[in-house]
Amino acid sequence: MYSALYMGKQAQLEELLKAFPERPPVVNQVELHPYLAQPDLASFCASKGIQMMAYSPLGSGDSYSGTSFPAKGTGPFECPSGGAPLLSNEVVRAVAERLGKSPAQVLIRWSLQRGFVCIPKSAKPERIAENFAVCDWAIPGEEMGRLDALDCGFRYGIGYAPGHYDCPNAPWQSSPSA
């Protein structure tokens, strides 16, 4: 028997796998997008046969920190190409323009090419149809590299309690930590 879905980070998964080796989770649903690529968690899950599922793959209009994007810069949780929500990020938009796709399609395709299940949210039929039109094309390697370079550990959804997903933009953090 398997646990169908788990929503956690590597240390929590390791504890779960140790406590219940006969019932490993099949899916780990976590916030996952170019600003928060979580390569170590993705690698760990792949090594354990756990499918990563991306929520908020398009980013979000806000976050617990009160900002909807990482600052432009090179400090912790900043991005040299930051300063904008994912859907209007200059790199995402440039890749979309070169490929003749929408920024949302580029972000969804980025997730798929990373091997993640992707669950974008939309209530508009035309956007839902657009979101599905991502399986007959690919983002070239150089463009994937540009999108990968956006990773700065920025979280939109931080969790519900101190320690759950600590990062500098968490409202309970008094000082930045990596």
Side-chain angles (χ1 to χ4, degrees):
M1 180 182 293
Y2 295 90
S3 299
L5 175 69
Y6 187 72
M7 299 173 77
K9 51 189 181 174
Q10 184 171 331
Q12 295 165 321
L13 282 168
E14 288 171 347
E15 289 177 26
L16 181 69
L17 290 167
K18 185 176 179 182
F20 301 99
E22 71 287 352
R23 294 187 312 206
V26 176
V27 175
N28 188 22
Q29 181 183 11
V30 295
E31 182 179 350
L32 199 56
H33 45 72
Y35 283 153
L36 183 66
Q38 304 202 57
D40 293 339
L41 179 60
S43 178
F44 175 81
C45 286
S47 76
K48 302 296 181 187
I50 300 169
Q51 176 64 56
M52 292 282 283
M53 179 183 286
Y55 73 76
S56 294
L58 308 180
S60 180
D62 62 4
S63 74
Y64 286 94
S65 70
T67 183
S68 60
F69 49 84
K72 191 171 242 184
T74 58
F77 300 86
E78 294 179 342
C79 177
S81 298
L86 272 171
L87 287 169
S88 56
N89 175 280
E90 62 191 31
V91 172
V92 174
R93 294 185 74 74
V95 171
E97 187 174 316
R98 273 193 282 287
L99 297 174
K101 304 297 179 184
S102 73
Q105 287 176 310
V106 166
L107 294 169
I108 293 166
R109 185 67 205 180
W110 175 88
S111 290
L112 296 176
Q113 282 184 227
R114 288 282 165 247
F116 309 139
V117 172
C118 182
I119 51 173
K121 176 186 166 197
S122 184
K124 297 183 178 183
E126 63 275 6
R127 284 195 182 149
I128 293 170
E130 180 182 278
N131 290 348
F132 273 112
V134 295
C135 296
D136 61 348
W137 57 278
I139 301 171
E142 182 178 317
E143 302 296 349
M144 282 295 285
R146 294 183 68 213
L147 294 167
D148 291 342
L150 296 174
D151 185 16
C152 62
F154 182 85
R155 293 183 188 276
Y156 288 98
I158 305 224
Y160 303 104
H164 183 71
Y165 284 118
D166 285 343
C167 62
N169 65 321
W172 50 80
Q173 282 286 29
S174 58
S175 63
S177 65

